């Protein structure tokens, strides 16, 4: 070796520079200080402009050229290193585009950026050594070794999208974990046998159903059998990581298989559902077998108990996503897990639905919002590469079904479902990522659908070539078995015994299912639901909802108490002073004060309260001000959350601009919080129709279909005040059209005290039903819509409010019945006209509305006294269609009934404020006509 003292960065020959640079890459401190500094300076500037070298460039040819000194040689070496670094980055960014993730082997476009030639590297550079300081575990590799490692990591059965993540520590963590292992998990023999057993159970179950129940729909998992080992590994890993509860949500594809092989639902129960031999058990209710859920405690291999809950789900695919997240959040809150470490949401999606349904974006958007965070959901795309009969090129505008998930700072793993060991690697890495960063993670498992959308469908009608190729493919289980046989990890005899045992169990269970003395297994209600019930309202116990005088004063004082030095807006100072006077009995309560008193009284009694919605902290109409802002430093304070050290938690959260996703989340939260008050507020009630799937398929029918109770409160601002078609109606008629079997409560209240008692009744009564509250707008500040101090300290909620004019000492010539805001217009018109011969009754609760209550309310008025239902809505809207259907033209055959409404209309209201006033005048004139 040449003497180092004879050389400096300005001199040197080829051999010396090459040797010195190689030593620098291995151990920087081993080279002289002047050379080390030079190499480091070049390295730090390696992305600056460099001489453009031709495609035939090699370091040897440059160094061999005459007249080059050592510094020039190093410049050329660093330029070459730049090119290698660009190649490494290209694999990290674009390697997924050539990964072998499709089990059908469909061709993928070539990616020139992944070829060395694209960067001017030639075959002659293959054996040269380069720095790999960004690759975990190695400092130098030959170019050939670098390419091998990158292709193994990013281009085999796993393709990864992660370079869109902005956080360098997160990217480095993923790089190190993947490149350090070449994205391959070293499995023990027992782990391989476990995967083989899971695949066998999956395949045998599907084959058994197809043969024993010919022509029956099961939405088979065949072609995607690796979902079962995927879920098995995920749950085992979750248990190792300290997860106590896993909430799973999925559509119908493969659900029966998951119920059997993951949720451990007794196969005999599933077989009874296929036979459908007991129609009397499900008359008028229940759901199809592939929509049903199940709960089960599982003991993992590590000995940890993990509670599994598979959510019930209708055919509306992705809408269950936020329901599952809400359930997880509720379980975490109940456990006091504010770090979101003990519960996990596992969402199984379809590829076409994940790309096509907007609820997916709403779900993803909730993931990092403080009021909705669950510590990261695991998303598994069951990628059949088809939606019903629609191919990807017809169903999405993106390369992948998962591209919408790039809105988050999370990795997306694409994996070949026919490589179960690659699936195992992805699951393990995904669960570790979730634990490390508390973020969502996506696994896109490429598979196929062996049969049509359902077992009665013929896919050859629309995809003949695709399904000809699919029919020729062996099962994933058979392919993996052949792999293990080659490795010598399992014998054919062992594999056959596993399959034989799986079939024997199913045969025994089928025989049991068809026995005359079969006894159904049943899910017992979770311990949090003990003591609560649904069914008819006649089973409900009336509850006293008043609170003491001292408690009103104490709570109202706490609701306006702010920290020392806190400076709220001057208008809030005035509003809080008015609330203080209300608490002292010096001023009647308005709507906002009554609502906050109800919430404060509940949390002080140990009842958790959660209220979310668009602008709910302040209130859309500036009536709540539950959270106040310091005008000097912008800090926030919530008085109701700081009443006393021993109070229950309370959350009042501004939601994102979402209806379906957020309402689904709160519905899910209420499923696991029967002992709390859970409220969702629409910005305007009109907007609730954007969440119609959650309403129709979950809230309205959940008890009837799935025997699942909930007590969700929906606050829907409603009132015709000249604000136009989209700011008037919460579509009361639609809610009433969905009522049956006391499935829901619908109220349209007129006083703050009624609101107070309704909220307290909702959680203090053991009867659990969702409630729709047509909440007011103008009544929030109407001087007439107030309640006195004593209305909160005694009594309870009144479904019907009698008139203040008593019929005993005067003749009543007509009775007006109304609900909500119109009462105050009618009352003012009566006073204006001096019509004390007109009584006004208020139906505060429109459903359930019991005959006895209506009869009692009308009993003071003689038979044949004309009764008029008066509403602001058009004739075909509001409560009138429901009331007319209920009573026809006479109430209990004693009082004639007529409706006074706006004319029928396709739109709820006029957009002209002046026209609204004219219409309102006509309505009032009709109500008091002689």
């Amino acid at each position: 070796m040449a003497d180092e003292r004879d050389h400096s960065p300005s001199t040197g020959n080829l051999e010396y520079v090459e040797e010195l640079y190689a030593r620098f890459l291995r151990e920087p401190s081993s080279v002289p200080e002047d050379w080390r500094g030079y190499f480091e300076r070049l390295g730090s500037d390696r992305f600056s402009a460099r001489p453009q070298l031709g495609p035939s460039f090699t370091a040897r040819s440059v160094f061999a050229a005459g007249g080059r000194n050592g510094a020039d040689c190093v410049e050329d070496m660093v330029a070459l290193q730049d090119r290698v670094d660009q190649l490494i980055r290209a694999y990290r960014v674009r390697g997924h585009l050539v990964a072998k993730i499709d089990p059908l082997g469909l061709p993928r476009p070539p990616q020139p950026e992944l070829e060395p030639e694209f960067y001017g590297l030639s075959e002659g550079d293959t054996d040269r050594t380069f720095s790999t300081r960004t690759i975990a575990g190695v400092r130098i590799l030959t170019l050939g070794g670098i390419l091998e490692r990158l292709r193994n990591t990013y281009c085999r059965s796993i393709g990864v999208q992660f370079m869109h993540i902005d956080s360098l520590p997160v990217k480095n963590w993923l790089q190190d974990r993947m490149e350090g292992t070449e994205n391959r998990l070293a499995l023990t023999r027992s782990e391989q046998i476990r995967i083989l057993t899971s695949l066998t159970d999956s395949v045998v179950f599907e084959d058994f159903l197809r043969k024993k129940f010919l022509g029956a729909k099961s939405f088979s998992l065949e072609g995607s059998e690796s979902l079962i080992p995927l879920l098995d590994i995920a749950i085992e890993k979750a248990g190792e990581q300290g997860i106590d509860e896993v909430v799973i949500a999925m559509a119908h594809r493969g659900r029966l298989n998951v119920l059997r092989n993951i949720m451990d639902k007794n196969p005999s129960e599933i077989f009874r559902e296929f036979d459908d031999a007991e129609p009397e058990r499900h008359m008028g209710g229940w759901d199809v077998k592939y929509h049903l859920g199940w709960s089960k405690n599982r003991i993992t291999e590590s000995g940890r108990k993990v509670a599994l809950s598979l959510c019930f789900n209708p055919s509306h695919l992705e809408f269950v996503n936020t329901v599952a997240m809400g359930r997880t959040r509720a379980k975490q809150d109940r456990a006091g897990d504010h770090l979101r470490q003990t519960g996990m949401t596992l969402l199984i999606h379809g590829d076409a639905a994940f790309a096509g349904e907007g609820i997916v974006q709403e779900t993803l958007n909730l993931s990092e919002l403080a009021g909705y965070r669950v510590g990261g959901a695991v998303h598994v795309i069951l990628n059949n590469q088809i939606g019903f009969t629609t191919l990807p090129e017809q169903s999405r505008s993106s390369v992948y079904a998962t591209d919408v998930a790039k809105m988050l700072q999370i990795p997306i793993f694409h994996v070949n479902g026919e490589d179960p060991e690659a699936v195992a690697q992805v699951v393990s890495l995904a669960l570790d990522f979730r634990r490390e960063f508390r973020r969502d993670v996506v696994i896109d498992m490429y598979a196929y659908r062996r049969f049509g959308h359902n077992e009665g469908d013929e896919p050859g009608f629309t995809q003949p070539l695709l399904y000809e190729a699919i029919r020729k493919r062996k099962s994933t289980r058979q392919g993996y078995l052949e792999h293990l046989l080659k490795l010598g990890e399992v014998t054919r005899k062992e594999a056959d015994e596993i399959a034989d045992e799986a079939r024997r169990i199913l045969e025994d269970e089928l025989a049991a299912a068809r026995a005359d003395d079969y006894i159904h297994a049943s899910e017992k209600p979770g311990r949090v639901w003990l003591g609560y019930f649904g069914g008819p309202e006649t089973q409900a116990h009336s509850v006293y909802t008043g609170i003491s005088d001292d408690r009103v004063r104490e709570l109202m004082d706490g609701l306006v108490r702010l920290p020392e030095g806190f400076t709220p807006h001057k208008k809030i100072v005035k509003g809080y002073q008015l609330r203080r006077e209300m608490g002292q009995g010096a001023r009647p309560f308005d709507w906002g004060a009554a609502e906050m008193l109800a919430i404060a009284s509940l949390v002080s009694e140990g009842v958790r309260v959660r209220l979310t919605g668009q602008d709910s902290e302040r209130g859309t109409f500036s009536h709540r001000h539950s959270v106040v802002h310091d005008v000097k430093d912008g800090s926030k304070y919530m008085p109701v959350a700081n009443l006393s050290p021993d109070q229950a938690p309370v959350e009042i959260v501004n939601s994102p601009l979402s209806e379906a996703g957020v309402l689904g989340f709160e519905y899910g939260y209420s499923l696991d919080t029967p002992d709390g008050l859970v409220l969702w507020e629409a910005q305007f009630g009109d907007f609730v129709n954007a969440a119609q799937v959650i309403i129709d398929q979950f809230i309205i029918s959940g008890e009837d279909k799935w025997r699942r109770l909930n007590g969700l409160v929906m606050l829907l601002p409603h009132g015709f005040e000249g604000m136009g078609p989209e700011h008037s109606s919460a579509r009361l008629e639609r809610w009433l059209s969905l009522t049956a079997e006391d499935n829901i409560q619908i109220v349209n209240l007129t006083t703050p005290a009624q609101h107070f008692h309704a909220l307290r009744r909702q959680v203090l009564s053991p009867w659990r039903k969702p409630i729709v509250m047509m909440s007011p707008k103008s009544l929030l500040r109407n001087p007439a819509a107030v309640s006195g101090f004593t209305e909160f300290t005694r009594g309870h909620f009144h479904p019907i409010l009698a008139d203040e004019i008593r019929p005993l000492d005067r003749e009543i010539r007509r009775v007006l019945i109304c609900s909500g805001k119109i009462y105050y217009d009618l009352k003012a018109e009566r006073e204006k006209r001096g019509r004390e011969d007109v009584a006004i009754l208020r139906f505060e609760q429109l459903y359930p509305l019991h005959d006895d209550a209506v009869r009692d309310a009308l009993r003071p008025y003689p038979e044949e006294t004309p009764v008029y239902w008066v509403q602001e809505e058009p004739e075909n809207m509001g409560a009138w269609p429901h009331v007319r259907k209920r009573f026809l033209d006479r109430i209990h055959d004693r009082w004639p009934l007529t409706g006074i409404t706006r004319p029928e209309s396709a739109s709820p209201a006029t957009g002209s404020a002046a026209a609204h006033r004219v219409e309102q005048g006509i309505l009032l004139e009709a109500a008091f006509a002689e």
Side-chain angles (χ1 to χ4, degrees), residues 25 35 58 68 70 307 328 406 467 616 642-643 707 812 818-819:
L25 294 176
W35 278 102
T58 68
R68 308 300 300 277
T328 302
K406 290 175 72 175
Y467 272 88
S616 286
N642 294 276
L643 297 173
R707 309 296 188 262
I812 299 298
C818 64
S819 185

Side-chain angles (χ1 to χ4, degrees), residues 151-375:
R151 287 166 179 165
N152 286 345
T153 301
Y154 298 113
C155 305
R156 288 192 290 184
S157 295
I158 300 171
V160 190
Q161 292 177 280
F162 71 104
M163 293 296 282
H164 60 279
I165 299 173
D166 294 328
S167 169
L168 187 59
V170 174
K171 279 195 290 194
N172 286 341
W173 185 93
L174 286 163
Q175 275 177 207
D176 291 350
R177 288 293 303 270
M178 292 187 292
E179 294 172 8
T181 62
E182 298 187 11
N183 239 352
R184 205 69 176 178
L185 191 64
L187 297 175
T188 65
R189 180 181 185 277
S190 64
E191 290 170 331
Q192 291 172 327
I193 294 295
R194 186 181 185 100
I195 291 174
L196 177 63
T197 302
S198 292
L199 286 171
T200 302
D201 290 341
S202 176
V203 170
V204 168
F205 180 77
E206 296 293 352
D207 184 66
F208 190 87
L209 290 183
R210 190 172 63 256
K211 291 177 179 177
K212 299 296 184 179
F213 303 98
L214 296 174
K217 291 182 182 180
S218 66
F219 295 97
S220 165
L221 190 60
E222 289 174 89
S224 306
E225 295 94 336
S226 287
L227 178 67
I228 299 303
L230 185 157
L231 296 178
D232 179 63
I233 294 168
I235 293 165
E236 289 291 322
K237 183 89 174 180
E240 294 173 9
Q241 295 178 347
I243 299 293
D244 293 323
E245 301 198 64
V246 178
V247 179
I248 305 172
M250 68 183 299
H252 41 266
R253 174 72 53 204
R255 175 178 283 259
L256 295 177
N257 210 313
V258 170
L259 282 166
R260 164 66 187 112
N261 292 310
I262 297 298
M263 300 304 300
D264 198 28
K265 183 176 180 179
N266 196 316
S268 63
E269 287 291 318
I270 299 173
F271 299 154
R272 294 281 290 191
E273 291 160 359
F274 270 98
D275 283 338
D276 202 12
E278 301 170 281
E280 67 281 356
R281 294 186 75 233
H282 303 136
M283 294 288 285
W286 208 231
D287 203 348
V288 293
K289 50 191 168 292
Y290 36 79
H291 290 170
L292 302 180
W294 198 255
S295 297
K296 181 74 175 181
N297 288 333
R298 169 171 172 166
I299 305 300
T300 67
E301 289 290 307
S302 61
R304 189 175 186 89
K305 183 176 79 171
V306 179
L308 305 179
S309 299
L310 175 62
C311 296
F312 295 76
N313 190 27
S315 284
H316 289 71
L317 303 178
E318 302 292 334
F319 281 84
V320 73
N321 294 342
T322 58
V323 175
M325 290 175 64
R327 292 193 63 187
T328 302
R329 173 80 174 213
K331 291 174 183 290
Q332 292 170 337
D333 286 347
R334 181 174 295 280
D337 176 22
H338 304 300
L339 298 178
R340 313 297 166 197
Q341 294 176 328
T342 62
M344 184 177 83
T345 309
L346 203 163
L347 304 177
I348 304 169
H349 312 270
D351 52 315
F354 196 81
E357 294 189 5
I359 190 69
V360 172
Q361 185 276 337
E362 295 187 37
T363 302
L364 297 171
N365 189 51
L366 293 178
S367 67
E368 287 299 307
L369 303 182
Y372 305 89
R373 191 177 290 125
V374 296

Side-chain angles (χ1 to χ4, degrees), residues 334-606:
R334 181 174 295 280
D337 176 22
H338 304 300
L339 298 178
R340 313 297 166 197
Q341 294 176 328
T342 62
M344 184 177 83
T345 309
L346 203 163
L347 304 177
I348 304 169
H349 312 270
D351 52 315
F354 196 81
E357 294 189 5
I359 190 69
V360 172
Q361 185 276 337
E362 295 187 37
T363 302
L364 297 171
N365 189 51
L366 293 178
S367 67
E368 287 299 307
L369 303 182
Y372 305 89
R373 191 177 290 125
V374 296
V378 177
H379 301 267
V380 177
I381 287 56
L382 192 60
N383 196 330
N384 292 312
Q385 306 186 71
I386 194 170
F388 206 87
T389 66
T390 305
L391 292 172
E393 56 266 27
Q394 296 175 298
S395 65
R396 63 176 187 259
S397 298
S398 56
V399 175
Y400 295 111
T402 57
D403 280 351
V404 65
K406 290 175 72 175
M407 65 182 280
L408 299 182
Q409 298 284 296
I410 62 172
I412 302 168
F413 299 100
H414 308 280
V415 60
N416 190 320
E418 281 195 350
D419 187 343
E421 294 191 0
V423 171
Q425 158 66 6
V426 162
V427 174
S428 179
L429 183 55
L431 268 288
D432 284 346
F433 175 87
R434 178 195 172 276
R435 179 184 61 178
E436 183 74 17
F437 299 105
R438 300 289 166 211
R439 300 186 190 178
D440 286 23
V441 62
V442 177
I443 301 171
D444 181 16
M445 192 185 82
Y446 267 69
Y448 52 87
R449 195 182 64 199
R450 186 170 289 278
F451 302 106
H453 176 70
N454 61 59
E455 286 60 36
D457 183 40
E458 174 48 68
F461 290 159
T462 50
Q463 281 82 31
L465 300 181
L466 174 65
Y467 272 88
E468 180 63 26
I470 288 174
R471 274 189 284 270
K472 296 176 181 178
R473 297 197 68 78
K474 65 185 72 171
S475 73
T476 302
R477 185 256 183 192
Q478 183 60 34
Y480 187 55
L481 173 58
E482 292 174 3
H483 168 70
L484 295 183
L485 290 172
K486 288 178 183 178
L487 294 177
E489 295 293 346
V490 68
T491 67
R492 176 73 66 177
K493 182 174 182 293
E494 288 176 301
D496 290 343
E497 288 173 350
I498 292 171
D500 290 344
E501 176 63 11
R503 293 188 191 95
R504 184 195 63 78
I505 291 172
L506 296 181
E507 289 286 1
D508 291 347
E509 291 291 334
L510 180 59
R514 290 173 172 172
D516 292 337
D517 58 351
Y518 183 80
I519 299 176
H520 285 276
S522 61
E523 285 188 287
K524 295 180 181 179
R527 57 182 176 83
V528 300
W529 278 98
L530 294 176
Y532 300 97
F533 58 89
E537 190 189 31
T538 52
Q539 297 179 16
H541 305 293
S542 61
V543 291
Y544 185 83
T545 50
I547 59 177
S548 70
D549 293 20
D550 290 342
R551 199 73 180 126
V552 173
R553 285 188 282 267
E554 178 185 355
L555 292 173
M556 289 303 294
D557 181 64
L559 285 169
V560 297
R561 187 169 53 241
L562 299 173
E564 186 81 21
F566 192 92
T567 310
H569 193 281
K570 60 183 180 180
K571 290 186 178 180
I572 293 178
V573 172
K574 180 179 179 181
Y576 270 28
Q577 178 56 38
L578 295 178
R579 286 189 180 179
R580 182 174 286 107
E581 294 174 11
M582 295 173 195
Q584 295 166 352
R587 177 182 293 274
F589 280 70
D590 62 18
W591 209 279
E595 181 181 81
M596 292 309 301
L597 178 61
I599 293 172
S601 67
L602 290 171
V603 298
S604 68
E605 295 168 18

